[in-house]
Each structure stands twice: as structure tokens, then as C-alpha cells.
Amino acid sequence: MKKIIAAVLIATLTLTLFAACGNKKSDETETTKYGLAPNHNGEPVKPYAEFDSNLTDAKEFKNADGKVVYKVEYDVPWLNDTYSEEAKTQFNNYIQAEFIDTALAFAENNVKNVRPDETEPRTIKISYEPVYKLDNVLSVVISTAYSSQSSINVYRTFNLDNGFVLHAEEFFTENVEETKEAIFDTLLPEAAALLPEDSKVSAEEKNALAAEKLAAGFDSASFYITDSYIAFIYNISAFSEGMGAGAGTHAGILHMTICSN
């Protein structure tokens, strides 16, 4: 595992970075439907390589009268026989449990809630987009659309040699708390800007609240990488009360030039 991670660091990020990160606000925010940050030319990030190992299928759910009232359609990343048995088992089981089974359970549990006068089945669609691809590393965003108006985007970065999800601390220091502290310090200005405006709240209070929400909403597996930066993904709902997960995501961008050891 250490050998794999070392190769990733050299090839993609040269991440001997976060031992002494300073506060520096990135001016890059998400611009696409998947929440990907723009590149240096202002254009949305595109996959660096194709990833065509996938699973496509659909399941139907009927009500007590035998009418199809729910459909789950999915096109998800799925490792084929070109990968090791360990990688296939771990990766595919993760995709099955986290995305496919979740959507299937939702449809099954809500069959009884479909009105009799609805003429078309309600459809849940799961799709994916590769964000970054190396021989042994894949960053991907998986989108689950429960309606035409609402979708939930989840970002994950995988070690394709064994199929496991990578976590932020594997890319920086071995000290998880040190890693988190550096990330939070760097992303604090962005987090504060995501909070609703309130003239009664001082700048100090706003920063304290932003720091609290950064820590509460942090998921060390929720990030993607590119050649020049790592993006940590937060749900907008983590900073604004009354919003659901379908409100979208914010990419907190940490450029390689921001930090040094």
C-alpha cells in the first residue's frame, strides 16, 4: 500500500505539502453540474483519461396491482476482469452497497407512496463521470438523481490495485488530526463565505461558526484529485440550514502552491 501511495504522490500531486499550510483563499468554485472546479483557463475540468469499465442495468418495482411505479436505472463504475480479484470484490461491493442498494431500497420502500393516478413510473437514475485516472488511481463522481430537479453527487478516489476508497490522510501525513487541522485552516475563508449573511454576527463569530461546520461536515473520503490540486467536497447544506443534500456541493480547492513543507 505504501508503495502504491508513493507512486501516486510522485505522479500526481508531489504531496509533501501539508505540514505547514497557511490561510490562503482559493478563488475557484464549482461550475459544472457535478461541482468540479474550473481549470486554470476557466473551463470545467474534464477527465484525464477514459474509464469504460462499468455496469449498466435497470430494476422495476410494482405496486399491489402489478403496475410498475418505480424504476431504478444505473450506469456505475464497475471493475471487470482486467483488474485483480481483490480489487473487483472490494470496489464492486462498495459501489453495490453505497449506491445501487441504497437506490433500490428507496424505491422499494416508497412504492406505496406513489399516487394511483400517476401515469409514468417514478425514475431514479444513477450515473458517473471519471474525474481523474491513473493506472492505479481513479477519482470519480457518482450522481444519484431522485427526480429531474434533485440529484446527490458523491466523490470518491479509489486505489484500483485493491479496490479500496482512499482517504485524505493517506495523501498527507500519518497524523489524521494534523491533516484535518491543516485542511480546515486553509479552507476557513471559503467556508465562512458559504454561510448566510447576518449583520448581527461579527467576523470572529462567523469564522468560529465556519470552523465548527467545516469540522462537522468533513468526510476524509470525499475528495478528488487532479495534476495540480486536490478538491475537498462539502455539501452546501452543511453551511445553510433548511437545505437538503440535493442543494449541491462546494469544492474546496487546495493548490500545490498553497502549501509547502
Side-chain angles (χ1 to χ4, degrees):
M1 181 63 174
K2 293 295 184 182
K3 181 178 179 181
I4 295 170
I5 295 301
V8 174
L9 301 186
I10 293 171
T12 64
L13 300 176
T14 320
L15 285 177
T16 52
L17 300 179
F18 278 76
C21 291
N23 284 338
K24 180 175 179 182
K25 182 178 183 299
S26 169
D27 58 0
E28 298 196 23
T29 55
E30 62 178 68
T31 58
T32 75
K33 70 175 182 176
Y34 291 117
L36 302 184
N39 63 21
H40 297 296
N41 297 319
E43 296 296 323
V45 169
K46 294 181 174 62
Y48 285 75
E50 295 296 325
F51 182 78
D52 56 4
S53 181
N54 65 319
L55 174 68
T56 302
D57 204 350
K59 305 291 184 183
E60 295 182 342
F61 294 83
K62 299 179 180 180
N63 62 14
D65 297 327
K67 177 184 176 182
V68 176
V69 294
Y70 253 106
K71 290 179 65 177
V72 176
E73 301 174 352
Y74 51 91
D75 178 23
V76 295
W78 196 263
L79 298 192
N80 56 32
D81 290 338
T82 62
Y83 296 88
S84 71
E85 286 299 321
E86 178 189 17
K88 286 194 302 179
T89 299
Q90 180 62 35
F91 185 100
N92 294 346
N93 284 349
Y94 182 89
I95 297 297
Q96 181 74 46
E98 293 293 320
F99 301 100
I100 300 174
D101 288 350
T102 298
L104 295 179
F106 180 92
E108 184 174 17
N109 292 335
N110 284 278
V111 163
K112 59 182 179 296
N113 296 327
V114 178
R115 299 187 306 273
D117 60 346
E118 293 187 36
T119 58
E120 296 293 331
R122 296 184 183 183
T123 302
I124 300 172
K125 294 185 178 182
I126 310 174
S127 58
Y128 80 99
E129 186 76 26
V131 181
Y132 187 91
K133 174 71 168 59
L134 282 174
D135 289 343
N136 62 342
V137 174
L138 170 70
S139 280
V140 63
V141 53
I142 300 175
S143 178
T144 303
Y146 287 89
S147 71
S148 59
Q149 305 297 321
S150 177
S151 63
I152 298 174
N153 299 326
V154 175
Y155 293 77
R156 291 293 182 265
T157 298
F158 292 89
N159 175 348
L160 296 182
D161 282 342
N162 59 22
F164 280 88
V165 172
L166 292 171
H167 294 261
E169 55 268 23
E170 297 179 78
F171 283 84
F172 301 104
T173 72
E174 294 183 357
N175 187 312
V176 177
E177 291 307 313
E178 182 179 290
T179 299
K180 289 165 65 176
E181 181 181 355
I183 293 170
F184 297 159
D185 284 348
T186 308
L187 295 184
L188 183 60
E190 288 187 60
L194 292 174
L195 294 174
E197 292 295 331
D198 187 343
S199 59
K200 298 180 182 180
V201 177
S202 68
E204 183 178 344
E205 291 172 327
K206 191 171 187 179
N207 282 340
L209 179 59
E212 179 182 318
K213 291 186 176 295
L214 270 176
F218 181 70
D219 178 356
S220 66
S222 186
F223 70 92
Y224 68 85
I225 62 175
T226 74
D227 279 329
S228 58
Y229 64 82
I230 183 169
F232 289 93
I233 307 301
Y234 277 84
N235 287 325
I236 298 292
S237 58
F239 299 91
S240 298
E241 294 183 4
M243 290 186 173
T249 57
H250 175 79
I253 307 301
L254 302 181
H255 289 280
M256 293 199 315
T257 55
I258 290 178
C259 303
S260 68
N261 63 352

